[in-house]
Amino acid sequence: MNSIAQLVDITAPNAIPWWPLAPAWYAIFAILGLCGLYGCALKRRQWLANRYRREALNELSRISVVDAVRLNQVLRQAALNGLSQISTAQECNPKTSQSALLSQTGKEWFALVNKTSPRELFTAEQVYLLEKLNYQNRNMSKQDEMTQAEFERLKNLCERWVREHQFEHVS
């Protein structure tokens, strides 16, 4: 007999399907989904909490050298809004913190500004220029006016402070 005629093809088993998965995979997907939702919720909460920063940066971008007086106002408003959010989140009395912040003027105010930033941003000369802006009026002499370079430097420092400041350690 012919041995080749007796050979029969071997049938391969069916391929292992990808679906349905084992129950452990469903648990892993559920945990990953919950972690993703939690991460999105934290990111949204942070985004909402930083709304005052975006508004202050927008306001700072619209300030020109002509209305440089508003630099201090925007800084103070950003500080008040940031402090009120921290006070609300910690459920303490926001009025006492805000009144303490509002009572700060001059060098004490800028010491607080420097204290709330990761590193000291404003030098004594820049503090003097910003303080001088509080008392600037439209009829100032040419020698008292701020140069464009000084203004841009102060504006950049103010924008940097708005982005970087933190009030967690301020009582």
Side-chain angles (χ1 to χ4, degrees):
M1 281 216 155
N2 191 354
S3 62
I4 295 181
Q6 293 176 356
L7 291 177
V8 179
D9 284 341
I10 299 174
T11 57
N14 293 337
I16 298 173
W18 286 96
W19 208 263
L21 298 175
W25 283 107
Y26 290 112
I28 290 172
F29 289 145
I31 289 170
L32 288 175
L34 289 174
C35 288
L37 285 174
Y38 181 70
C40 288
L42 287 179
K43 201 68 166 158
R44 183 177 189 279
R45 184 174 163 197
Q46 180 184 15
W47 185 80
L48 289 173
N50 285 326
R51 178 180 176 202
Y52 76 95
R53 290 180 197 260
R54 290 188 303 277
E55 289 173 352
L57 288 170
N58 187 20
E59 186 71 25
L60 282 171
S61 70
R62 290 184 282 174
I63 295 176
S64 66
V65 75
V66 175
D67 47 330
V69 179
R70 293 181 35 221
L71 283 175
N72 269 338
Q73 296 166 354
V74 172
L75 273 183
R76 192 171 290 270
Q77 188 62 41
L80 284 173
N81 290 339
L83 190 63
S84 68
Q85 284 192 354
I86 296 297
S87 299
T88 305
Q90 294 174 352
E91 296 184 14
C92 62
N93 188 357
K95 294 294 181 193
T96 58
S97 301
Q98 286 180 0
S99 65
L101 184 64
L102 279 174
S103 68
Q104 301 288 332
T105 58
K107 296 204 185 309
E108 295 87 21
W109 162 248
F110 289 105
L112 177 69
V113 167
N114 277 332
K115 181 179 168 187
T116 57
S117 62
R119 58 193 160 282
E120 232 175 79
L121 290 177
F122 297 98
T123 64
E125 179 185 327
Q126 292 161 341
V127 167
Y128 172 74
L129 286 173
L130 279 169
E131 190 62 27
K132 191 169 82 169
L133 287 175
N134 284 337
Y135 305 106
Q136 182 180 12
N137 61 18
R138 302 278 184 207
N139 304 334
M140 289 187 72
S141 66
K142 280 290 188 193
Q143 59 188 341
D144 287 338
E145 287 183 5
M146 183 182 298
T147 65
Q148 183 69 28
E150 289 174 331
F151 170 74
E152 288 300 324
R153 177 74 178 143
L154 284 177
K155 184 176 170 182
N156 288 337
L157 287 173
C158 291
E159 288 172 350
R160 189 170 168 190
W161 181 83
V162 168
R163 278 189 214 98
E164 296 177 356
H165 74 275
Q166 305 231 344
F167 281 112
E168 282 81 17
H169 59 279
V170 177
S171 58

